[in-house]
Amino acid sequence: MDVNKWPIFSILNIANLLKIKKICVFGSSGNEAVYITDDDEVFAFGSNCSACLGLGDAGSSFEPKKIEVLCKKNVVDIAFGSGPHVLAVTAVGEVYSWGHNGYCQLGNGGSMQGLFPFLVSTNLQGKKVTKVACGSHHSVALTQEGEIYAWGQNNCGQVGSGTTTNQSTPRKVMAVIGTKFVTSIACGQTSTMALMDSGEVFGWGYNGNGQLGLGNNVNQPNPCKVQGLQGIIISQLVCGYAHTLALSDEGVLYTWGANSYGQLGTGNKANQVAPTRVETKGERMVEVAASHYAHVSSSLTETGNVYMWGQCRSQSITSAILTKFHCTDDVLSAFASPPVTWRIYCVDQMRGSKIAEDVTRNFDDSTTSDIKFIVEGKTIHVHKAILKIRCEHFKTMFQSCWEEDGKDFIEISQFSYNVYRAFLQYLYTDVVDLRPEEAIGLLDLSNSYCECSLKKHCEQIIKKGITVENVAMLYAAAIKFEAKELEDFCFRFALNHMTVVTQSEAFVYSIMRHALALAIVVLIYV
C-alpha cells in the first residue's frame, strides 16, 4: 500500500518511504505527519502547528526529524485532536502526549503547550493502556482491564465526569459504565462514545446534533446507553465530526447525528437523534471508517467493495456510492477535507514491488509455466520454483525421488477448482480472492498443507461472513480443522444470538451434521 496517497508524503524520497511501517496524518490541512520505521524509529514532519510534531520547537519542517523519546518504544496507537494535540501508546501500555494544551488535553496537570512527548502518568501508573482517542480538545484512554480514563476540555461533559469542568489529569469514567468492560472508544469533536464487550453502546458529551444517539439533543455529562440499539450486538464504533457509525456483528450499519452533508448515508440531509439502519444494497459490511476532523463516511464489504458518502471533496453524497478503492483508508486520503488518517495506518508494502508485480502477472501464464494443475477439468498454469519457494508441501513434492517432479501436470480431486486456484494465486500474491462461504474449503486445504499463515487468513475471511444461519456449520468446521480463533468467534456469536440460532433450520441440520458440541453449549444457556 502506498503512503503517497496522502499528499504530505509525496515530498519524501524513496529511501525514506521504503522504511515506513506505520503512519499518522493530521492537521487542519492534513499537513502534519508522524511515521514509524521498520527499525522502530519515530519521525515527524510538517507544519508543526502548536508544536504538535513533538520535536522540541514550533518550527515547521518538510525534512523528517526523530522524536527521540518514542524511538524503540514500539508505538502501537496514535490519536490526535484538532488543536492539534497528539497521543501515542506504546506496547507496554504507556501514554505520551504533546502539542496544544489550552484545555488541559495533554493530561499533565497544566495548560502549557507540550514541545516534547510527555509521559502521562497520573492515575495511569500500573495500568496498561491499549487504545487512545481524541476529540477536538479532550483525550480518552482505554486500558487492558476495559476501563476508560478521560481528560481535557469538558464544557459539554465529554470527559464523562458528571460536571462541565475541564479535567487536567486522567480520571476514570465511573458513572454507569464503571463496572462494565469497555472494548472500544471513539470521539467526535466534543463527544465520546464507548462500546462494551456485551455489544452495548454508551455516549456522553455534546449532543446538539443527536450524535450520542439517545433520541434527543440534550448534552450528557455522564455516560448514557444508546437504547435504540437494544438487542443488537455492535462490533465496531467510529465517530465523525458530529456523527456516529455503528456496525453490528451481523454486518448491519447504523448511523446517527449530524447529516448536513449526507454523512449518515440515509439518502437525505436530515439529522438523526437515534440509530437509523442504513440500506447497504444487500451487502454485508465488515468495517466502517470516519474521523472527527471530517464529515465523510466509508465502509468495506465482505466482498472487498469500498463505499463512501458524506462530504467528499466539498460535494455532498447522501447515499453510499461504490468506489474503486481497496480499503477505507483510501477514502479518507482522497476525499476527506482535510486528508487525514482515521486510524494508525499500517503500511503493507512489498519491498521490491517490481518483482512482486512481475510474479503476480505471471500467475496462470501458459507461456512461462513449467507445471500444470488440472482441477475439475480446468487447467491452472504455474511455476515449480515459485511453488517450492513459497510452500513446504510443494518443496517436498518436487524432489527427484517423487514421481510428481517429472510430470507435466498434476490432477487434484480433493479440492474444488475455485479453492485450489485461490490457493495457488495466494502463493503468487499473498492475497486470497474468495468469498467467505468458499473459504471453508481453503481452510481445509491450508490445514492439510500446514500453511499456518493462510489458515489465519482464511479464519479472518470466514468471520466476515458469519450469520445465524451458518454459525453452527462454521463452528463444526472450526473444530474439525483446529481453527481455535474461529471456533471462539463462532461460539461468542452463537451466544449473542442464541435464540435466533436455535430456532433456525440450519441449526437443526447442523446438529444432525456433527455440530452437537455447539448445540449442547448453546442449549445450556437458553
Side-chain angles (χ1 to χ4, degrees):
M1 296 180 181
D2 187 3
V3 297
N4 283 323
K5 66 182 82 175
W6 283 275
I8 189 170
F9 276 92
S10 63
I11 66 171
L12 297 190
N13 61 45
I14 189 66
N16 283 332
L17 290 174
L18 289 174
K19 296 177 183 178
I20 294 175
K21 181 173 67 174
K22 298 176 183 177
I23 71 168
C24 179
V25 180
F26 53 99
S28 59
S29 299
N31 50 0
E32 278 124 354
V34 174
Y35 68 84
I36 305 165
T37 66
D38 286 331
D39 53 1
D40 203 20
E41 302 286 352
V42 183
F43 291 83
F45 66 106
S47 300
N48 205 19
C49 177
S50 298
C52 64
L53 297 184
L55 299 172
D57 57 47
S60 63
S61 173
F62 275 147
E63 181 67 28
K65 297 178 181 178
K66 279 187 184 181
I67 306 179
E68 296 286 355
V69 70
L70 295 180
C71 291
K72 307 300 182 182
K73 287 283 199 330
N74 194 2
V75 172
V76 295
D77 193 29
I78 300 176
F80 49 84
S82 55
H85 74 288
V86 185
L87 303 180
V89 182
T90 68
V92 297
E94 293 179 330
V95 179
Y96 289 83
S97 65
W98 64 94
H100 188 264
N101 195 30
Y103 299 91
C104 307
Q105 59 263 49
L106 298 188
N108 58 16
S111 57
M112 292 292 291
Q113 192 175 71
L115 298 178
F116 292 100
F118 167 83
L119 178 61
V120 184
S121 58
T122 302
N123 295 329
L124 292 181
Q125 287 185 333
K127 299 290 183 179
K128 182 176 182 179
V129 172
T130 58
K131 181 75 177 174
V132 285
C134 296
S136 59
H137 300 100
H138 75 288
S139 304
V140 183
L142 175 64
T143 71
Q144 190 176 45
E145 294 79 20
E147 302 168 321
I148 293 180
Y149 288 80
W151 60 96
Q153 187 180 37
N154 195 34
N155 59 322
C156 304
Q158 57 265 49
V159 169
S161 61
T163 72
T164 54
T165 304
N166 290 353
Q167 176 65 34
S168 62
T169 56
R171 175 183 291 178
K172 184 178 176 181
V173 179
M174 291 296 297
V176 185
I177 63 170
T179 59
K180 295 179 179 289
F181 191 98
V182 181
T183 60
S184 182
I185 51 177
C187 293
Q189 281 279 298
T190 49
S191 61
T192 306
M193 303 297 298
L195 175 63
M196 310 295 127
D197 62 348
S198 61
E200 297 173 307
V201 174
F202 288 77
W204 58 96
Y206 183 67
N207 195 33
N209 299 287
Q211 54 261 64
L212 300 186
L214 305 176
N216 57 52
N217 295 105
V218 181
N219 294 354
Q220 299 293 337
N222 285 313
C224 293
K225 183 178 178 180
V226 180
Q227 297 290 351
L229 294 172
Q230 189 72 31
I232 298 168
I233 308 299
I234 298 301
S235 60
Q236 191 199 352
L237 186 68
V238 294
C239 291
Y241 186 96
H243 74 288
T244 307
L245 292 82
L247 185 65
S248 80
D249 66 345
E250 295 185 274
V252 179
L253 175 61
Y254 298 86
T255 63
W256 59 90
N259 197 29
S260 54
Y261 301 96
Q263 59 264 49
L264 299 186
T266 54
N268 56 54
K269 295 184 179 181
N271 290 2
Q272 297 292 335
V273 297
T276 302
R277 180 169 176 164
V278 177
E279 175 55 47
T280 56
K281 302 174 183 177
E283 291 207 72
R284 178 192 177 102
M285 300 296 168
V286 297
E287 181 179 272
V288 289
S291 167
H292 72 279
Y293 259 61
H295 307 284
V296 65
S297 305
S298 179
S299 68
L300 173 70
T301 73
E302 66 177 354
T303 58
N305 288 329
V306 175
Y307 289 85
M308 70 178 187
W309 60 97
Q311 188 184 37
C312 302
R313 283 187 176 268
S314 300
Q315 181 177 349
S316 295
I317 300 173
T318 60
S319 296
I321 62 170
L322 179 64
T323 72
K324 293 184 178 180
F325 296 129
H326 299 294
C327 62
T328 55
D329 306 87
D330 292 343
V331 172
L332 275 292
S333 68
F335 283 92
S337 301
V340 297
T341 48
W342 70 275
R343 58 183 170 185
I344 190 168
Y345 179 78
C346 297
V347 181
D348 184 16
Q349 194 174 52
M350 296 184 72
R351 309 308 189 201
S353 59
K354 184 65 169 64
I355 296 174
E357 290 172 7
D358 289 342
V359 171
T360 298
R361 188 165 48 248
N362 279 277
F363 171 68
D364 203 11
D365 183 353
S366 60
T367 64
T368 61
S369 74
D370 56 3
I371 185 72
K372 296 179 292 186
F373 284 88
I374 311 297
V375 190
E376 296 180 344
K378 301 175 184 177
T379 303
I380 309 169
H381 298 86
V382 287
H383 309 78
K384 287 183 183 178
I386 293 176
L387 300 190
K388 289 166 68 176
I389 290 170
R390 294 279 287 147
C391 178
E392 284 295 324
H393 174 81
F394 291 123
K395 187 176 182 180
T396 301
M397 176 186 290
F398 296 127
Q399 294 182 5
S400 58
C401 56
W402 292 84
E403 63 175 299
E404 284 88 352
D405 187 52
K407 289 184 175 181
D408 294 326
F409 67 89
I410 298 173
E411 291 194 55
I412 300 294
S413 59
Q414 61 268 50
F415 301 105
S416 71
Y417 171 79
N418 285 347
V419 165
Y420 213 79
R421 179 183 171 82
F423 167 58
L424 294 175
Q425 189 170 24
Y426 165 79
L427 298 181
Y428 280 70
T429 65
D430 266 340
V431 174
V432 176
D433 185 17
L434 273 183
R435 295 178 63 87
E437 57 266 28
E438 294 180 302
I440 288 289
L442 190 56
L443 178 65
D444 183 8
L445 187 154
S446 60
N447 194 59
S448 299
Y449 286 14
C450 299
E451 286 289 323
C452 296
S453 294
L454 178 58
K455 186 175 179 179
K456 289 291 184 185
H457 202 148
C458 290
E459 289 186 64
Q460 296 305 314
I461 294 173
I462 293 167
K463 284 162 63 175
K464 294 175 182 178
I466 194 168
T467 66
V468 294
E469 291 297 323
N470 65 19
V471 61
M473 179 273 291
L474 295 181
Y475 184 80
I479 294 174
K480 178 180 179 181
F481 302 130
E482 300 178 337
K484 181 61 178 174
E485 183 179 336
L486 178 61
E487 179 185 336
D488 292 342
F489 182 85
C490 292
F491 176 74
R492 290 194 301 272
F493 185 93
L495 288 184
N496 286 336
H497 303 275
M498 55 186 170
T499 302
V500 180
V501 169
T502 54
Q503 292 173 351
S504 69
E505 293 182 11
F507 179 78
V508 177
Y509 179 73
S510 294
I511 293 176
M512 299 169 62
R513 296 284 296 173
H514 316 300
L516 288 173
L518 176 63
I520 292 170
V521 173
V522 173
L523 287 172
I524 289 174
Y525 283 85
V526 172

